[in-house]
Amino acid sequence: QVQLVESGGGLVQAGASLRLSCAASGPTFNTYGMGWFRQGPGKEREFVAAISWSGGSTIYGDSVKGRFTISRDNANNTVYLQLNSLKPEDTAVYYCAADSASLVTGITAALAEYDYWGQGTQVTVSS
């Protein structure tokens, strides 16, 4: 069982950077793959990034590849998403999620494979 709490969102101008944090609780957190998803106004929730339990493997959505970086600090039970070169189209609620099966299946971009979700944090990018 995992509880996730996101923080770090806010209002920034285009070209700025933000770092989102996801604080996790639970005895098996360090064995879970972790992902970030986002949902903009009137849009479906989309995959942003994922990282394996060890941090050794990462994957990114096409729209953010080269600009965003996912990382984790298992000693502090925290996952991060570094957002650089932000664009207005990055405006969305960003959600942290955990995949309990990733030790067996590997990390995934599929929303349905994630078991636990945070409440989301709003990122707004102005032009």
Side-chain angles (χ1 to χ4, degrees):
Q1 300 294 310
V2 174
Q3 291 183 320
L4 307 172
V5 180
E6 303 98 328
S7 62
L11 173 62
V12 298
Q13 294 184 340
S17 297
L18 283 173
R19 190 175 75 162
L20 308 183
S21 297
C22 175
S25 62
T28 57
F29 163 76
N30 290 348
T31 70
Y32 291 2
M34 300 295 297
W36 287 94
F37 294 78
R38 68 184 184 184
Q39 187 166 17
K43 298 182 178 180
E44 296 183 3
R45 194 168 297 186
E46 68 171 342
F47 172 74
V48 175
I51 188 167
S52 63
W53 68 271
S54 67
S57 298
T58 58
I59 54 174
Y60 295 91
D62 290 340
S63 63
V64 306
K65 193 172 185 178
R67 297 188 298 121
F68 293 4
T69 303
I70 188 171
S71 61
R72 69 190 298 164
D73 181 355
N74 287 345
N76 291 292
N77 290 349
T78 304
V79 180
Y80 303 98
L81 184 68
Q82 179 68 40
L83 294 73
N84 294 330
S85 301
L86 283 164
K87 306 173 182 179
E89 51 263 45
D90 294 319
T91 295
V93 178
Y94 284 72
Y95 297 91
C96 178
D99 176 12
S100 63
S102 68
L103 272 178
V104 176
T105 62
I107 53 176
T108 178
L111 183 151
E113 297 300 316
Y114 287 82
D115 306 291
Y116 305 100
W117 294 82
Q119 83 290 347
T121 185
Q122 177 72 46
V123 172
T124 302
V125 184
S126 63
S127 60

